[in-house]
Amino acid sequence: MKSFCNYIKSIVLGIWNLLLGMKITMLNFLRPKITEQYPENRGKQVMFERFRGSLTMVHNDKNEHGCTACGICQMNCPNGTIKIVSSMIEDAETGKKKKVLDKYLYDIGTCIFCDMCVSSCPQQAIAWSTEFEHAVFNRSKLVKQLNNEGSTLKVKEKSAPKTEVA
Amino acid sequence: MFDFSVVTTWIDELLRVTLGLNNFWTLFIEFILIGVVLLAVYAIIALILIYVERKICAFFQCRIGPNRVGKWGLIQPIADMIKILLKEIITLKNNDKFLFYLAPFFVIVGSILTFAALPFGLGLHAVDFNVGIVYILAVSSLGIIGILLAGWSSNNKYTLIGAMRSGSQLVSYELSAALSLMTIVVMAGSMQISTIVEEQSDMWFIFKGNIPAIVAFVIYMIAGHAETNRGPFDLPEAESELTAGYHTEYSGISFGLFYVAEYLNLFITSAIAATVFLGGWMPLHIPGLDGFNAVMDYIPSVIWFFGKAAFCVFLQMWVRWTFPRLRIDQLLKFEWKILMPIALVNLLVMAVCVVVF
């Protein structure tokens, strides 16, 4: 008698579990679909925020960037993707020598999007963009200069950088 | 409601009276006409089902599915058909050539013979025996010979295992399917499909038969689903274990025949369930509500039939894309220890109900 009860119970429980599974798939069936119709919605689709499309240098509206040409990103890069060309200039007022960024070269052809450069940057000067259409006709076009033409280093408040550095 | 026998009698009159043909030639031309129409409908339903299956599968997986060929991908199955017709038929070494090429035809002939016995609408019923249910059960199990032949003649371990599994599965589940159909035969008092449909003119059997009819419907849907080798019961072709089971070695149109037969078996199972349990082409009639019944009669019988069949097809696809595949011992245990006893008890309950009430 007990085994018969268990038999009936197992059948009822089985049916209940099957119905639960069918409920879940039905909810999925009615859910809005997540497929992106890519070439049709080109320019309209929103990539998710953390997507690592391409490395960019953040410029403000006065065409200033935050890169001090310290070279930490270049050293951290496992593939030698980043190349920083800098020069030393002498400050006219104080006479101190100062490193200034000339070119920030980024080769997207060798980048593995590991995020080591962005996470190690002390100035938050570089960031990821969500742009993903990288195809070009020539390999040399894969090397991009990230700093804008004529951009300068962001001038900080006199007291602020010292406390920050310390 | 439009009676399609008007059309068929008009064709008969045309051949006999207007053209003055004798009995033999009239029947000969009519048989060929019916055969051509059935084959055409068979092919069209296969195309529609392949599209619907891909779309519904995609929707269950939160995708959109085919959407590039034509509007909403509507021409996709036609493109697939052209592709499969143009493919080379690869000939194998060291196999039984005759049986190898014969096997797909067993499968497709079994499926077409069952298809012909379906009542598509009022007056649209090609094969109507007084033992219609037995005929349907008999010819629909012809396909198993084709599957066993395909597995055996391919000379391949995967196909052989697939065919053996398919054999045990189909033979087992045939029992439950037959018993659940018998439940309704007990209620209708006839095995003739047209009579079964006529009997449901006051109410469909699934509502009229109370609990035994509902249980029989569920059992038939499960057993029928297992007989189509789909969904959680797709052991014969279990992709991850047997590549494609019994049709691993087939290519081109031979594979196409298996493919089409699989989809049509899905439709046939659904259509039989719709005919026997949901009233076939019979509109929903509630005794006493004459106005409602009159409104229901305005909907053509063909739409009723295909609507109910589509509902059952959707149920089967829902099940297929929900549950994971069973093991062979679980499959047989499910049939012999659960489905068959319930079907037997159910048949008994139905018989008692019919006798007592």
Side-chain angles (χ1 to χ4, degrees), chain B residues 207-327:
Chain B
F207 300 125
K208 221 161 53 168
N210 297 328
I211 293 167
I214 294 170
V215 172
F217 177 70
V218 173
I219 289 175
Y220 182 75
M221 288 307 280
I222 295 172
H225 196 98
E227 278 184 64
T228 53
N229 292 336
R230 289 161 50 84
F233 309 109
D234 62 343
L235 292 126
E237 37 199 290
E239 284 118 348
S240 44
E241 304 158 30
L242 303 175
T243 59
Y246 57 87
H247 55 61
T248 306
E249 299 286 2
Y250 283 90
S251 56
I253 187 66
S254 318
F255 172 73
L257 290 181
F258 277 116
Y259 194 59
V260 165
E262 187 199 316
Y263 278 96
L264 254 292
N265 283 337
L266 163 74
F267 177 78
I268 288 165
T269 311
S270 308
I272 293 173
T275 306
V276 174
F277 297 96
L278 303 178
W281 51 261
M282 191 59 78
L284 180 63
H285 287 159
I286 300 171
L289 293 175
D290 288 333
F292 177 78
N293 294 349
V295 170
M296 285 293 151
D297 279 341
Y298 276 108
I299 303 172
S301 55
V302 179
I303 291 182
W304 275 108
F305 176 78
F306 281 101
K308 289 168 194 173
F311 169 73
C312 294
V313 166
F314 180 77
L315 272 185
Q316 297 212 14
M317 288 184 178
W318 187 4
V319 167
R320 175 178 184 180
W321 295 107
T322 301
F323 301 126
R325 189 185 307 131
L326 282 90
R327 246 179 11 237

Side-chain angles (χ1 to χ4, degrees), chain B residues 22-54:
Chain B
N22 62 15
N23 197 34
F24 171 78
W25 284 108
T26 313
L27 286 179
F28 184 73
I29 292 171
E30 282 173 2
F31 286 163
I32 286 179
L33 269 179
I34 290 169
V36 168
V37 168
L38 277 176
L39 282 177
V41 173
Y42 189 90
I44 290 167
I45 289 180
L47 287 180
I48 294 172
L49 272 179
I50 289 169
Y51 175 76
V52 166
E53 164 90 9
R54 292 184 62 179

Side-chain angles (χ1 to χ4, degrees), chain A residues 7 10-11 17-19 21-23 25-26 28-40, chain B residues 55-56 58-65 67-68 314-315 318-319 321-323 337-339 341-342:
Chain A
Y7 173 77
S10 74
I11 290 174
N17 283 326
L18 291 179
L19 289 178
M22 287 175 80
K23 185 189 134 196
T25 42
M26 185 38 80
N28 266 301
F29 185 80
L30 299 172
R31 225 165 66 178
K33 304 293 164 266
I34 54 166
T35 311
E36 294 280 356
Q37 304 264 16
Y38 167 56
E40 281 86 19
Chain B
K55 255 322 196 207
I56 286 185
F59 270 59
F60 274 123
Q61 296 168 349
C62 231
R63 298 183 285 118
I64 298 177
N67 58 358
R68 295 286 136 160
F314 180 77
L315 272 185
W318 187 4
V319 167
W321 295 107
T322 301
F323 301 126
K337 286 193 172 174
I338 296 174
L339 269 195
I342 293 179

